[in-house]
């Protein structure tokens, strides 16, 4: 099987930082909840959405023909960035203009999904500046960045944070190389800040291989972990139960329907509880989505424009 690393569009360099975003943002509330879609039986389905090009609302447009449940249980905003301030020599959370637009318009971009029963998580990604999850040089610095992330979750009424340790380019701008303590301190602080929110791991990069330090293993502080290579099967090497892992990963519209179906069939037969998808766009992808929902849930998918 070919290993296909996802081709991601990195977030633009010109945008507001999280500091500005949080200064002008207001603490979000979900408001009156609409009736969620009917419950379904089967694995948790995840949809990463490139908000530079696509709407988060796409995740809510797919339901199961049999029973009407949501196809997607978690929608991931892709992506915020971990940037580096060369004057203060500190990492900071950064939103490009498209991520900022989604967050500022949470009432119309996020809340409808949540009211439908879909969790909305913010992915955080490196941005070629040398800052990453694996090179904080002190517990204090890691905790400070954890607070920026948890503040964003609180401010915009999100359901959690996803870690994606790609494109950091450790060493740029004179930054440190990865160390063993950094990610452990970061995840520990983030979990303490948001004990009831989702923390997920896109299982790639130096951070993903540094989950234990000083007798502390943060594996169990994650809710989910998934394979980062689309069109393949790879079990994440993290001490989580099968119900929290996605060895399958597909890119909707690029991974063949037969491969998506085979990966979904294997997910069920081997007892795993998560199925990861990437790049859900605004096109009617019901044929691609049905290829895996038939195996996961015994039903075709219906697209509602």
């Amino acid at each position: 099987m070919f290993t296909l690393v996802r081709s991601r569009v990195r977030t633009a360099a010109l945008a507001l930082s999280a500091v500005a975003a949080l200064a002008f943002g207001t603490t979000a509330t979900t408001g009156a909840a609409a009736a969620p879609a009917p419950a379904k039986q089967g694995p948790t389905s995840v949809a990463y959405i490139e908000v530079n090009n696509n709407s988060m609302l796409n995740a809510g447009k797919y339901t199961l023909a049999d029973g009407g449940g949501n196809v997607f249980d978690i929608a991931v905003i892709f992506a915020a960035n971990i940037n580096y301030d060369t004057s203060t020599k500190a990492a900071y959370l950064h939103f490009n203009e498209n991520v900022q637009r989604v967050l500022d318009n949470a009432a119309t971009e996020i809340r409808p999904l949540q009211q439908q029963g879909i969790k909305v998580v913010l992915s955080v990604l490196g941005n070629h500046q040398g800052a990453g999850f694996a090179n904080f040089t002190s517990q204090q610095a890691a905790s400070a960045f954890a607070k920026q992330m948890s503040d964003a979750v609180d401010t915009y009424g999100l359901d959690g944070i996803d870690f994606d340790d790609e494109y950091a380019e450790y060493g740029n701008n004179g930054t440190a190389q990865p160390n063993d303590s950094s990610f452990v301190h970061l995840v520990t602080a983030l979990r303490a800040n948001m004990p009831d929110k989702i923390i997920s791991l896109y299982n790639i990069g130096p951070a993903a291989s540094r989950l234990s330090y000083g007798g502390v293993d943060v594996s169990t502080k994650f809710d989910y972990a998934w394979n980062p290579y689309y069109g393949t099967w790879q079990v994440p090497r993290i001490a989580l139960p099968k119900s929290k892992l996605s060895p399958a990963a597909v890119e909707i519209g690029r991974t063949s329907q037969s491969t998506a179906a085979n990966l979904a069939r294997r997910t069920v037969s081997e007892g795993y509880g998560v199925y990861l998808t990437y790049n859900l766009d605004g096109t009617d992808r019901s044929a691609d989505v049905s290829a895996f929902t038939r195996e996961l849930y015994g039903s075709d998918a219906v697209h509602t424009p």
Side-chain angles (χ1 to χ4, degrees):
M1 181 180 294
F2 292 101
T3 299
L4 200 67
V5 181
R6 63 179 166 183
S7 174
R8 295 177 143 206
V9 180
R10 79 172 181 88
T11 50
L14 296 176
L16 295 174
S17 72
V19 174
L22 295 175
F24 292 103
T26 56
T27 300
T29 58
T30 56
K40 69 182 182 188
Q41 299 296 318
T44 296
S45 289
V46 181
Y48 276 84
I49 297 177
E50 291 263 15
V51 296
N52 285 345
N53 307 305
N54 301 301
S55 170
M56 288 300 297
L57 298 179
N58 293 338
K61 294 180 178 180
Y62 291 88
T63 54
L64 297 175
D66 183 5
N70 295 319
V71 167
F72 297 106
D73 304 288
I74 299 173
V76 183
I77 301 169
F78 187 77
N81 292 107
I82 177 171
N83 277 14
Y84 187 71
D85 186 324
T86 56
S87 60
T88 62
K89 300 189 183 305
Y92 67 94
L93 185 62
H94 170 87
F95 306 138
N96 80 356
E97 59 188 0
N98 296 304
V99 173
Q100 188 67 64
R101 172 185 47 77
V102 170
L103 297 175
D104 287 342
N105 292 282
T108 55
E109 297 276 344
I110 296 170
R111 238 43 91 218
L113 295 177
Q114 293 172 323
Q115 291 169 359
Q116 193 174 326
I118 298 170
K119 302 291 188 182
V120 180
V121 169
L122 179 66
S123 185
V124 184
L125 176 73
N127 202 17
H128 309 275
Q129 298 182 12
F133 313 127
N135 68 342
F136 289 104
T137 55
S138 71
Q139 185 172 6
Q140 180 181 16
S143 296
F145 189 72
K147 186 175 189 305
Q148 291 184 46
M149 290 190 289
S150 58
D151 283 351
V153 169
D154 288 342
T155 297
Y156 298 108
L158 303 173
D159 295 297
I161 291 290
D162 174 67
F163 286 106
D164 183 349
D165 191 14
E166 297 181 275
Y167 310 121
E169 296 187 18
Y170 292 102
N172 279 1
N173 290 313
T175 56
Q177 291 299 313
N179 64 69
D180 291 339
S181 65
S182 176
F183 197 44
V184 172
H185 291 323
L186 180 61
V187 174
T188 299
L190 184 62
R191 177 51 79 200
N193 292 350
M194 40 182 241
D196 301 319
K197 298 290 187 176
I198 292 170
I199 302 178
S200 59
L201 177 65
Y202 189 76
N203 191 47
I204 199 169
S209 62
R210 290 170 166 84
L211 302 178
S212 180
Y213 175 76
V216 176
D217 188 328
V218 293
S219 298
T220 58
K221 298 184 186 297
F222 290 94
D223 294 281
Y224 303 103
W226 27 73
N227 171 17
Y229 302 105
Y230 298 109
T232 74
W233 178 273
Q234 184 180 103
V235 180
R237 294 183 177 180
I238 181 173
L240 286 174
K242 284 186 171 184
S243 61
K244 302 297 186 181
L245 298 176
S246 181
V250 301
E251 182 170 355
I252 295 174
R254 293 193 66 182
T255 301
S256 71
Q257 292 177 21
S258 61
T259 297
N262 287 337
L263 292 171
R265 191 177 306 117
R266 188 171 178 183
T267 297
V268 173
S269 68
E270 297 191 22
Y272 287 95
V274 189
Y275 189 86
L276 177 70
T277 75
Y278 169 67
N279 208 23
L280 182 65
D281 61 20
T283 304
D284 180 354
R285 298 289 183 184
S286 52
D288 294 303
V289 174
S290 293
F292 61 80
T293 61
R294 282 192 291 267
E295 302 296 333
L296 297 177
Y297 312 116
S299 174
D300 283 334
V302 176
H303 176 263
T304 302

